[in-house]
Amino acid sequence: MVDEDFKGTRLRRFRVDVGTIICAVALVQSLLLVAFGYWAAERLVSRLGTAAHKINHDRVEDSVLAFLAKTEAAIRAIADSPSVHVCGEDGEQTAEMLWTLLEQTPEIDSINVATDHGHVLMAVRYPVPAIRQVLRADGFSTETWHYKDSPDRDGGDAKQRFATTSISAYRSDFDPEKRTWYLEAMKAKGPVWTQPFMMSDSQELAVGHARPSARADDEGHRRGLVVDANVSLGHLSRLVGAFGAQGHGESALMSSDHHVIARSDHPDPVRELESPDSGVLGAIHAHMLSVSTAGGADDQAFSIEHEGSRYLVQTSHLPHTRWQLVSWEPEELLLGGLQRSVLWSLALTVSFLALALIISLRLSKLVTGPIENLSRIARRIGRLELDDLPIEPSRVLEVQHLNQALDESARSLKAFSKFVPVDIIRQLVAEGHALGPSGSPKRITAMFTDVEGFTSISESMPAEVLVRQLTEYFNLAAGIFARHGGVIDKFMGDGIMVLWGAPTELEDAEYRACLAAIELHAEMNALNEKWRAEGLQEFRTRVGIHTGHVIAGVLGSSNRLSYTAIGDAINAASRIEGANKELGTRTLISEATFEGLGGRLATRRIEELAELRGRQTRMVLYELLQIEHQPG
């Protein structure tokens, strides 16, 4: 017997082709394993080598970035401090803060604070540990050195470590406005890692991280301030030297102007700025210049030949510094053992070809059967038949994932159906409605409900109690309306708008709506008795029903739609519900709805023509009497 879900010839052919395709793939796969096994293994080995090299490269990069971030954080903390001063009583407190940060960051050689007056306060590690104060005057500077014990010394309390061992003072020509770190920070108007420069005290190449900071002085004048930390290139060389300890290669740091600022292939730190022109680093630099990637912001991975050896190369750009980290590793040392293993693996591959073919055939059966069953489940989900969907167990991971995805889709649609009635969705899909605003004229019966005195009720009870009562009330009402063919259009606070005859045509809509109203009052009486026993307030529901022509369909904006009905009949039904308050009734129906009843339910004509709020013409209304009724 042909499955109803797969009557189409195209689906049937596709189902048969799946098994055939899997068998063909298995056979072709076996042939390819023999023909291209070595090629695939070589590529795998190359990727493994590249990955291993990149891991070592990333470790060095992480170490450098961590060091840079630590330095940047220290300088930012000083620059953001509200009481940084170079001289005076606050200058002593600033000196203590600079010294403490110098102790905590052994990679930093000096921390400097310079003002636009030309005054400088420094905490220096080399050539001797000291607090150095420079006060600038016309044409000269007065330097005062407060010599300290080594900031790297352990033990003792903080006050002892900061104690001054001796003091010296003299005149000099030191001018911070001529220093590289000061000039680049003022030019950048923001934090900057400087180009390498020669430190005047230690006569060693260094880089600095400088950050300008503006603030008001005691007279309220806005003054400039630059905070800087200097790091010798020797520290950076020790960081990049970690690559050789973790692998078989070397690494180097290049500045944006193509100078080497740190390298692990030389035992000594960089003493002079120069471009690499020899060795492996020179070959790498020449290659990067030829392809215009030297100093670029993109990470690169490539290989080069140098003096008969092949090297794997990784480069990465260090943010905020304009530096480039370059690492290289001999391919033979990294991959030689793996390549020899490939030859043995290739020999074993032939032995497993027959086994692979058998497994592939078996897999075809494990895949096609569950997929066919999952297709049936997907068709049921497409028809919004979301209850009691079967679970398709399978040992195939992808089939399990597909099964889980379909289950999640069904649960999501089930949750969505609580907001949009399933009948509406099915009707729109069956009629082929486009997902855009549309509507058509229909004759419907509309009902509006409202809870009498809800405002005062809501003000007199806790929110959680009110929500629980509303939920019970809405659940009861929704069940009644569904039994009588009504579709809830929307919930409006304590009110409900219900349609009979949209989206699907419905015979005897007036009679069904009135029966629903009578049953709602009867069921509410029982619910109110339960609430009274619990000490809760009762809900008295008022109902208005009207029959007429409306425009019903998908209405709203282009990206947010809702199925609803609009027109005078809707407005009239809402006004009829509101008339209950003035007339002291609980259920009012219009004359059009009354005529549709054909006398099957007890009603009472309201003798006076009712004046409805917002309408110029009065209407004939009938009260639907609340009597026991069992539909036949």
Side-chain angles (χ1 to χ4, degrees), residues 131-353:
I131 293 294
R132 180 185 181 189
Q133 186 183 57
V134 180
L135 300 180
R136 185 69 180 168
D138 292 336
F140 67 92
S141 297
T142 301
E143 296 197 27
T144 304
W145 290 67
H146 295 258
Y147 299 102
K148 313 284 184 181
D149 287 333
S150 172
D152 302 322
R153 179 173 66 88
D154 295 329
D157 60 30
K159 187 173 183 180
Q160 290 175 338
R161 293 197 303 271
F162 186 67
T164 299
T165 59
S166 61
I167 300 177
S168 67
Y170 55 87
R171 287 190 176 187
S172 71
D173 60 354
F174 184 90
D175 185 357
E177 295 184 358
K178 296 180 181 179
R179 298 295 170 182
T180 299
W181 52 268
Y182 187 90
L183 294 172
E184 291 195 22
M186 297 303 291
K187 180 180 178 181
K189 298 181 180 180
V192 62
W193 279 94
T194 69
Q195 295 291 348
F197 61 91
M198 186 68 69
M199 289 193 293
S200 59
D201 300 323
S202 61
Q203 292 300 303
E204 188 173 350
L205 284 173
V207 291
H209 178 66
R211 176 184 286 266
S213 176
R215 60 193 63 215
D217 59 16
D218 296 337
E219 289 78 25
H221 302 297
R222 191 168 182 82
R223 308 300 306 184
L225 191 76
V226 174
V227 184
D228 164 69
N230 293 330
V231 181
S232 69
L233 298 189
H235 286 304
L236 296 177
S237 294
R238 281 190 287 275
L239 287 173
V240 299
F243 187 91
Q246 297 166 348
H248 306 286
E250 307 291 347
S251 61
L253 277 176
M254 307 277 292
S255 65
S256 60
D257 54 0
H258 311 305
H259 289 137
V260 179
I261 59 178
R263 61 194 305 171
S264 65
D265 57 339
H266 285 193
D268 299 322
V270 175
R271 300 294 183 184
E272 296 180 359
L273 293 177
E274 57 183 18
S275 299
D277 54 6
S278 62
V280 181
L281 184 58
I284 293 172
H285 186 244
H287 172 81
M288 293 169 64
L289 288 175
S290 66
V291 296
S292 301
T293 58
D298 296 329
D299 295 352
Q300 301 288 329
F302 55 91
S303 59
I304 64 165
E305 295 278 350
H306 179 69
E307 295 182 353
S309 298
R310 189 172 185 82
Y311 293 86
L312 299 179
V313 184
Q314 288 278 345
T315 71
S316 57
H317 175 75
L318 302 183
H320 314 302
T321 63
R322 297 167 294 172
W323 302 341
Q324 203 168 28
L325 177 64
V326 182
S327 64
W328 61 96
E329 201 161 358
E331 189 177 66
E332 172 60 27
L333 293 178
L334 189 64
L335 305 179
L338 287 173
Q339 288 173 335
R340 285 185 290 273
S341 298
V342 166
L343 296 176
W344 286 100
S345 300
L346 185 60
L348 292 175
T349 300
V350 177
S351 304
F352 288 103
L353 285 179

Side-chain angles (χ1 to χ4, degrees), residues 385-396:
E385 297 172 1
L386 306 176
D387 294 326
D388 301 323
L389 291 176
I391 296 177
E392 179 62 31
S394 175
R395 295 180 181 272
V396 180

